[in-house]
Amino acid sequence: MRNCCLDNGDICMGCYRSLEEILAWHALTESERDAVLVLCQARKKVSQTNWD
């Protein structure tokens, strides 16, 4: 089992899903999950850019 650890903006620091996305994950369709994962990749890039 994986556990999400949220930052101050309620974004997981590991998977980059928002709290709302985490809570809704099991009810999402495969295409909706794919869309969330695209958003997660964008959040990850922004996060990594902010660390540079």
Side-chain angles (χ1 to χ4, degrees):
M1 178 184 289
R2 295 184 179 168
N3 296 307
C4 289
C5 182
L6 303 177
D7 66 10
N8 291 335
D10 285 338
I11 301 295
C12 176
M13 298 186 305
C15 68
Y16 295 94
R17 291 181 294 168
S18 68
L19 177 58
E20 294 81 16
E21 292 162 347
I22 293 165
L23 294 173
W25 188 255
H26 292 289
L28 298 178
T29 65
E30 186 175 342
S31 62
E32 290 170 329
R33 287 181 184 187
D34 289 343
V36 168
L37 294 176
V38 169
L39 292 173
C40 292
Q41 287 300 315
R43 290 183 191 126
K44 183 176 182 178
K45 276 188 174 182
V46 169
S47 175
Q48 290 174 338
T49 301
N50 290 337
W51 284 100
D52 293 339

